[in-house]
Structures are given as structure tokens and as C-alpha cells.
Amino acid sequence: MEYQTGRPRPAAGAPDTALAPRATRRARTAVLSAALLAAGLVLTACGGGDSSTDSGQKSSDSGVASLPTASSGGKKAEDPSAAQSSDAAIEAKRPQVRLDSSQEEIDQLWNVYWACLQAHGVPMYTGRVEHPGDQAPPVQEQKVTDQYKAQYHACLYKMPLQPAEERPETNPHYADDYRAYVKCLRAKGYKVHQVFTSDGNPDGWTFDDNNDGGIPTDKADRDCRLEAFGGKGK
């Protein structure tokens, strides 16, 4: 089963949790992002930038290095303001996914990012390629993300930014919108419920016990996202 990522999503890592199937090329984004965070990388999520996809290129998912700190050996620490400025410049270049972006548009953006990682030497998971010529995703192993932090950082400017409406740091009504999204899925007959972090923030959804409502279809998921996060009916 392939999993949707980068959208309002099922909770990851909880017992008896299933994720909605989505396009294969974007399937590993959430898992790899979690691995990068565990490796000490910080995913930035500022609103962002106008970038275009490279013609004919395809690409991959994940990661950004944390701000430089003072180094050992008597070397002078980098200026934090300069590092922040550099990070801001990267954010400004990242392609912005729209709430109404088609799956084909989203796939192309991730393909461009994955291709950048591949060009920088990040190992690709070729066994996940469905059709000849498709861009493979990066290998999702902790030792790989640890080893290729610099390469991930070099390609960060190509990593798609999710719609501002679907990110809590750019949507002040995210919690209410996410609640409406899960309510919409339930109204369509899917037996799911919301999951929260320890501090009460939305952390995805999971299936009810003895689920018999099936897995939300792409159309149902898209319709509910547009309704809940797009402000329809508000």
C-alpha cells in the first residue's frame, strides 16, 4: 500500500493506524521527513516562494540542515543572522503547492526534487518505480539520511512547500479546519477519527475500531480538503 503525504493525513506511527493510498511517487515523504528529523535535520515550513519545475526533470522528498553553530578547533562560529538570511533565501525559492493543485502537478514538483537528490548522489529506491522512466524516490534508511545531510540541504530549494492552508504555522485556523476535514470524511461514510499530540494539537487521523467504511478515495480526500481548508460553507 502506498501512502499520501504532505496533506492533511492519517496519523503516522500509531497502533492499528492505516494511511490513505495515494500516488506512489509521493508515497514516502512523511516517513522520510520523520527520518530526517530524527537525523538532526530541521524541516523549514515558512510560506514560500515562486519556483518553477525544471523541464524534463523529476525529483524527491525531504530535509534541511539546522542552522550552523560554533565549531570546535578554534574556528570562528558563523554569523547566525547570515545563516538565517541564507535559509530565508532558500525558502523563497521553494515551489509552492496550491490547495487546488492537481496530483500531476504535485507529482512533478516532487519528481524535480527527487531528481536533484539523485544528481547529488543520494541513493534512490529503484524498486519503487512503477513505470520505466519514472523517477525513483530516495532510500528511506536512517544511515542514508545521516550520510547525505549536505546533499539534502543542497536540494532543499526544490522541495515543495505544502499549501499555506494546510500548515499550522501559516493557517491560524488550522485546528478548526482539520476538525472540519475529518468531519467531512466521516460524513462520507469513512470510519475515522482525529488524533492529537500531547499538547492537544491535530496530529492526523486514524481508523475507528472495527472499521468497515473503507479507505478514503483520492476524490473524497481532495473534496474534503477543499471544503475544509478552502473555506467552503464557512
Side-chain angles (χ1 to χ4, degrees):
M1 179 183 294
E2 302 300 336
Y3 300 143
Q4 161 80 4
T5 58
R7 295 289 194 187
R9 68 194 190 287
D16 302 318
T17 295
L19 305 182
R22 294 294 183 267
T24 301
R25 297 187 195 94
R26 299 181 60 232
R28 271 111 349 230
T29 307
V31 177
L32 186 54
S33 295
L36 290 167
L37 287 170
L41 298 175
V42 179
L43 292 177
T44 52
C46 303
D50 57 341
S51 83
S52 58
T53 59
D54 296 345
S55 175
Q57 257 189 323
K58 298 183 178 180
S59 78
S60 160
D61 149 321
S62 259
V64 51
S66 56
L67 294 178
T69 57
S71 57
S72 60
K75 293 183 179 180
K76 188 177 181 180
E78 293 186 39
D79 181 358
S81 62
Q84 291 172 358
S85 176
S86 175
D87 284 354
I90 291 173
E91 287 296 314
K93 293 180 180 179
R94 290 177 62 182
Q96 176 67 67
V97 177
R98 304 183 315 276
L99 189 62
D100 63 350
S101 292
S102 69
Q103 189 62 54
E104 291 73 20
E105 291 172 327
I106 296 169
D107 286 345
Q108 177 63 12
L109 291 176
W110 283 105
N111 284 340
V112 171
Y113 175 54
W114 288 352
C116 178
L117 294 179
Q118 184 173 14
H120 280 74
V122 175
M124 296 288 114
Y125 194 174
T126 56
R128 288 287 185 176
V129 174
E130 289 184 321
H131 307 290
D134 281 356
Q135 173 63 48
V139 172
Q140 296 174 48
E141 295 181 8
Q142 190 65 57
K143 62 182 181 181
V144 173
T145 56
D146 287 345
Q147 182 178 353
Y148 291 92
K149 286 182 184 180
Q151 288 80 355
Y152 274 104
H153 188 274
C155 292
L156 178 61
Y157 74 102
K158 291 180 180 288
M159 181 184 178
L161 279 164
Q162 296 311 307
E165 299 91 336
E166 294 182 346
R167 289 182 280 128
E169 63 274 10
T170 52
N171 177 5
H173 307 292
Y174 179 83
D176 290 338
D177 291 347
Y178 197 94
R179 189 179 305 111
Y181 163 68
V182 175
K183 182 178 179 181
C184 176
L185 291 177
R186 292 188 63 84
K188 291 181 180 295
Y190 299 106
K191 305 296 180 66
V192 300
H193 61 272
Q194 194 168 346
V195 178
F196 300 89
T197 62
S198 59
D199 55 2
N201 292 317
D203 193 33
W205 58 257
T206 189
F207 291 112
D208 295 349
D209 293 338
N210 303 317
N211 169 54
D212 59 1
I215 299 173
T217 64
D218 284 353
K219 184 178 187 305
D221 178 78
R222 179 179 174 82
D223 288 349
C224 284
R225 288 191 293 99
L226 288 172
E227 176 179 322
F229 290 89
K232 293 174 63 176
K234 295 182 181 178

